Amino acid sequence: MHGRIATLTVSAWVLAVALLPSWWSSMPQAASAQTAPSRATAGRTLRLPELPYNYSSIDLPAHFSEPTARGFDNTPRDNPITDHGATLGRVLFYDTRLSANDTVSCGSCHVQAHAFVDPNRYSRGFEGRLTDRHAMSLVNLRYHPRGRFFWDERGGNLEAMVLLPVENPIEMGLDPDTLPGILAPDARYPDLFRRAFGDPQITKDRIARALAQFVRSMVSYQSKYDEGRAAARSAADDFSNFTLRENRGKALFLRNCSVCHLPGQEAHFVMVSTANSGLDDDPKSADGGVGDVTLNPREIGQFKSPSLRNVKFTTPYMHDGRFSTLAAVIDHYSSGGRNHPNRDVRMLPMHFTRSVRDALVAFLETLTDTRFLTDPKFSDPFE
Amino acid sequence: MRGIRVIPLVLAAVAVAGSAQSQVAFERVAAPPAATSEDIVARLLSFDRDGDGRVARDELNERMKALVTRGDADRDGALDGNEIRNLARTPMPAAGPGAGFPGLYQVPMDTWFPDRTHIDGALADLKLAREMYKRALAVVESHEPRVDAVARKARGELLRQMESVLTIEQLGEFQTVLDRQRTRPFNTIAGLIRVSGARHDVGTALSIADRGNPAAAVRQSLMAGDPDKLIDHYGLPPEQNREAHAVLDRYRANLRTLGQGERAALVERMKDVLTAEQRDDFRAALERRSAVPVGLFGRPGNAPARGTGVISIAPPFAAPPSVP
């Protein structure tokens, strides 16, 4: 009996919470082009520049433009980055109405100052429940050549991936099919959609495209490494703007790490395939990564690696955020990893000394792009 | 024979005498048996919280719920053992070679002493001042004749022992393979290669290619610089085959020991040139092996590069299609 009463009470509260936004939005609101309508986070004003920021024609350095590096670009022909498209995507990225209870947005867990990762090990979703993997960095997703996303690459192209967190019952908990109906009452969106797509129609597909354009526009290319590389003949040369330790770290990185993390070119610090780095040794109980999706036993324990750009700020590290410092990450690689049956053959004991580890950390920190981390065009437009 | 018994003792002594970081170089603990589809079954069944022998959708994490959609043949909303086995037997197909970026790399084999490229790289990574670098290089160059002499002696002993096992012609081919190893001290490729459209690990692929054509198999071994494979292809009587492999194994063990000694000697000779920290870094670099990219990315399905033992491979695991 008590249990039934408790259930009814809880149900009543849930119903009230679910109905409250609908009731609220049906109330007449003061009209304002700049004020968010009722269902948005209260009191937030959307501020966009008169002319859109430049997302589509950034002046990339030469090492981004050499043929192999260019080949990493996964931008599809049918959804190129446009300034208006990315602007719309930016608004959507920070709009909490993409969550079931209007409390979290993509930007809640992918924080610009932290290179679009969550500074916490796990993220809190719309109901306060924790995810079980660290939020991946969104930096330079444009240059992941396989065009597959998430730690286990279960997300297809970016257009397919961007709405998966929206519908995830822990993360944002909203059926993406309802998004057009949720956004349509907001007088600003039809205009944003018109500018981006030529007419004001709001569709799930366009929402995904706009988000994908914005995410692809997040290109970091102005780090200390990039400045040094631009002034050198190749990445192997000592950079004039680097300290001795940083140059030493770069040399060590190129010799020991680049086979996976800077493959075949000198701009993109990404891996071109998933790998098992021996984080765990038990294929039965650890997170199975790609293998949990494909059920291919040889893929158990394989994970995607995010770009190393801005890695100083993407702590904690690995799919489960188990390492809180870069030194700990390097120690893991130095050990050769644990003896998992699918451990990558490239994972050999490196026996890094402390000075080698410090030099590698110094180099990795040169991948920091302060301008990217503070660029207003990637920031939250809601005030 | 006494010398052979001494080798393990020497190895043990070296291991104990060295610092924690100067454990036997190149050693990686043998991998456990490869994961199989039964591991997949066991893994999925580990999610069976209520112990009913089935894995229901709500017992799985969000990422894996789609497996029920894929594999629930009897539409009861859960996966039983047979359904899991069926799913595991037919994993999602790889979605092609993955953007044309195969991973081409070599893993240095268990050589006894780093080659000159490796040593030069280890020195370069220290970022020494010019004068110090030149002095260090001079030490390396003066050490080389000693290393060569040690290697020649060990090789001479190997060939002498092989004379009682191989014919003259076989011994000639064996020497060719040894020479190839000296100039190309890399293992065969890590990863998968395609043979007739199916993917196999390297060993299986080579076996398939060799099948029914012993002469080609020998040529393949010569190309790949693989003395063990060469011995096997000679079809020696079992005892002779075992003895040949044993001789080769003793040679390798001998080289490992000698190599450790020579590495230590080289580092010791750097005492007047490098600081203690630099010597420590240099020593660790000499012991380190790193996978080496083989030029730029090739295209999937390329024929083996002649005479290099390098095989162009498709990417290890291609991208899976989206989960429905």
Side-chain angles (χ1 to χ4, degrees):
Chain A
M1 185 64 170
H2 282 295
R4 274 196 202 158
I5 291 172
T7 304
L8 282 171
T9 305
V10 168
S11 300
W13 273 110
V14 168
L15 203 57
V17 168
L19 289 176
L20 182 62
S22 304
W23 171 79
W24 180 252
S25 66
S26 70
M27 304 289 284
Q29 301 293 319
S32 165
Q34 294 296 326
T35 306
S38 56
R39 196 161 189 260
T41 308
R44 299 187 81 199
T45 303
L46 177 63
R47 295 237 182 263
L48 292 174
E50 284 294 321
L51 291 175
Y53 288 116
N54 173 22
Y55 295 99
S56 58
S57 309
I58 50 178
D59 189 18
L60 294 168
H63 51 284
F64 274 70
S65 304
E66 67 91 22
T68 307
R70 266 209 323 270
F72 279 51
D73 192 338
N74 61 52
T75 305
R77 283 205 184 95
D78 62 356
N79 194 31
I81 299 170
T82 65
D83 294 342
H84 287 292
T87 298
L88 169 59
R90 176 187 171 210
V91 175
L92 291 165
F93 188 86
Y94 287 104
D95 195 331
T96 55
R97 285 171 292 181
L98 270 65
S99 63
N101 59 3
D102 203 3
T103 57
V104 300
S105 67
C106 308
S108 303
C109 303
H110 294 281
V111 180
Q112 181 181 9
H114 295 270
F116 292 100
V117 305
D118 193 327
N120 304 296
R121 184 172 180 182
Y122 301 124
S123 302
R124 282 203 185 276
F126 73 110
E127 290 179 322
R129 285 190 289 163
L130 288 175
T131 60
D132 65 351
R133 285 183 182 164
H134 185 228
M136 279 187 101
S137 173
L138 304 182
V139 175
N140 290 40
L141 289 191
R142 174 178 169 182
Y143 297 110
H144 286 239
R146 280 156 66 104
R148 300 194 65 86
F149 303 97
F150 294 117
W151 289 107
D152 48 25
E153 288 202 341
R154 71 185 186 282
N157 59 19
L158 206 51
E159 284 73 9
M161 185 274 280
V162 288
L163 292 182
L164 291 181
V166 172
E167 68 182 11
N168 184 290
I170 292 177
E171 297 178 44
M172 297 166 86
L174 189 70
D175 180 354
D177 288 330
T178 65
L179 273 174
I182 291 168
L183 300 180
D186 185 335
R188 296 160 299 179
Y189 270 118
D191 186 54
L192 287 168
F193 275 81
R194 182 186 57 76
R195 289 171 193 264
F197 296 109
D199 66 66
Q201 193 183 14
I202 301 173
T203 67
K204 185 175 101 172
D205 177 66
R206 286 179 172 185
I207 291 168
R209 284 164 174 272
L211 278 167
Q213 286 188 37
F214 178 61
V215 171
R216 272 202 193 91
S217 77
M218 295 178 183
V219 175
S220 171
Y221 62 98
Q222 300 177 94
S223 66
K224 190 174 185 181
Y225 166 83
D226 295 298
E227 287 162 8
R229 176 62 188 85
R233 283 172 313 169
S234 82
D237 293 346
D238 282 352
F239 288 174
S240 56
N241 64 330
F242 273 24
T243 64
L244 175 62
R245 176 178 279 186
E246 288 165 349
N247 271 318
R248 185 163 172 240
K250 177 167 62 66
L252 289 160
F253 180 89
L254 291 175
R255 192 176 304 286
N256 299 295
C257 316
S258 66
V259 66
C260 296
H261 289 286
L262 189 64
Q265 38 73 53
E266 297 178 353
H268 307 306
F269 290 82
V270 300
M271 288 182 63
V272 296
S273 60
T274 56
N276 182 324
S277 70
L279 285 169
D280 297 293
D281 49 21
D282 183 1
K284 292 192 186 63
S285 63
D287 187 333
V290 176
D292 277 353
V293 173
T294 65
L295 297 191
N296 185 330
R298 299 189 69 160
E299 292 176 332
I300 296 176
Q302 283 198 353
F303 292 91
K304 180 180 177 63
S305 168
S307 169
L308 297 184
R309 285 182 172 275
N310 300 290
V311 71
K312 179 181 177 182
F313 290 94
T314 60
T315 181
Y317 305 106
M318 303 302 177
H319 65 279
D320 56 4
R322 65 178 64 189
F323 298 132
S324 56
T325 65
L326 284 175
V329 173
I330 292 168
D331 283 342
H332 162 70
Y333 286 106
S334 182
S335 73
R338 294 190 184 173
N339 203 16
H340 192 286
N342 294 334
R343 180 177 48 171
D344 197 288
V345 292
R346 292 166 291 181
M347 283 296 297
L348 295 160
M350 290 282 124
H351 304 309
F352 291 142
T353 61
R354 173 177 262 179
S355 83
V356 165
R357 188 187 68 191
D358 292 348
L360 283 168
V361 171
F363 168 67
L364 289 172
E365 292 183 351
T366 69
L367 301 179
T368 300
D369 179 354
T370 310
R371 273 169 280 193
F372 173 84
L373 298 174
T374 56
D375 194 330
K377 74 180 182 184
F378 300 125
S379 65
D380 187 348
F382 291 100
E383 290 178 355
Chain B
M1 285 302 288
R2 184 188 297 176
I4 295 163
R5 279 201 289 270
V6 163
I7 287 171
L9 288 173
V10 171
L11 273 174
V14 168
V16 167
S19 69
Q21 289 206 349
S22 64
Q23 65 207 59
V24 176
F26 311 142
E27 204 163 276
R28 186 169 115 153
V29 176
T36 65
S37 57
E38 283 307 305
D39 290 309
I40 293 283
V41 173
R43 173 164 173 74
L44 282 180
L45 286 175
S46 72
F47 288 91
D48 177 17
R49 281 199 299 269
D50 59 12
D52 66 351
R54 306 176 319 143
V55 182
R57 194 184 294 272
D58 60 7
E59 290 176 314
L60 290 168
N61 62 44
E62 285 310 309
R63 292 184 295 276
M64 297 173 78
K65 286 188 196 307
L67 294 172
V68 177
T69 307
R70 259 171 64 201
D72 184 13
D74 60 10
R75 302 273 184 254
D76 64 352
L79 297 175
D80 58 34
N82 285 333
E83 287 168 333
I84 295 171
R85 273 186 191 84
N86 285 337
L87 265 179
R89 276 192 212 114
T90 53
M92 290 170 70
F101 287 96
L104 298 177
Y105 45 83
Q106 293 171 313
V107 176
M109 59 189 290
D110 195 0
T111 60
W112 75 287
F113 192 78
D115 63 11
R116 186 55 193 270
T117 308
H118 187 147
I119 297 174
D120 285 351
L123 271 185
D125 288 349
L126 294 176
K127 295 293 176 193
L128 302 171
R130 186 189 291 270
E131 268 315 305
M132 197 185 283
Y133 178 76
K134 280 159 80 169
R135 286 171 58 201
L137 211 56
V139 171
V140 169
E141 284 165 358
S142 71
H143 197 75
E144 275 177 343
R146 169 179 157 158
V147 168
D148 286 343
V150 168
R152 269 197 307 274
K153 187 176 172 188
R155 181 184 157 111
E157 180 58 27
L158 165 69
L159 292 173
R160 191 190 62 74
Q161 291 185 36
M162 279 297 190
E163 277 172 4
S164 61
V165 183
L166 302 177
T167 65
I168 292 175
E169 187 190 356
Q170 289 169 344
L171 198 60
E173 287 174 340
F174 186 74
Q175 287 195 62
T176 303
V177 167
L178 280 190
D179 287 338
R180 181 167 295 286
Q181 281 206 325
R182 208 159 56 185
T183 56
R184 296 188 185 281
F186 289 108
N187 262 343
T188 46
I189 303 309
L192 303 181
I193 65 171
R194 290 185 187 280
V195 177
S196 302
R199 288 188 298 167
H200 304 276
D201 60 59
V202 173
T204 307
L206 287 174
S207 297
I208 291 171
D210 294 345
R211 210 170 283 157
N213 191 347
V218 169
R219 278 199 301 280
Q220 184 71 276
S221 302
L222 288 172
M223 278 168 52
D226 188 338
D228 287 285
K229 210 167 169 52
L230 185 66
I231 289 169
D232 285 337
H233 282 302
Y234 286 145
L236 301 171
E239 203 170 298
Q240 234 173 302
N241 179 283
R242 270 195 300 275
E243 176 59 18
H245 281 295
V247 167
L248 200 47
D249 287 343
R250 287 195 295 269
Y251 168 68
R252 289 188 186 118
N254 188 22
L255 281 188
R256 270 198 293 275
T257 308
L258 293 169
Q260 281 186 298
E262 289 306 314
R263 276 196 297 274
L266 176 59
V267 172
E268 179 65 19
R269 291 184 65 188
M270 293 287 187
K271 223 154 110 169
D272 297 328
V273 182
L274 304 178
T275 65
E277 184 179 284
Q278 287 168 336
R279 284 203 307 280
D280 200 32
D281 288 345
F282 184 58
R283 176 198 47 73
L286 292 183
E287 290 172 1
R288 189 177 302 138
R289 289 187 299 164
S290 299
V292 174
V294 181
L296 295 177
F297 294 120
R299 284 184 297 280
N302 281 355
R306 287 183 187 281
T308 64
V310 173
I311 299 172
S312 157
I313 60 171
F317 297 105
S322 289
V323 176

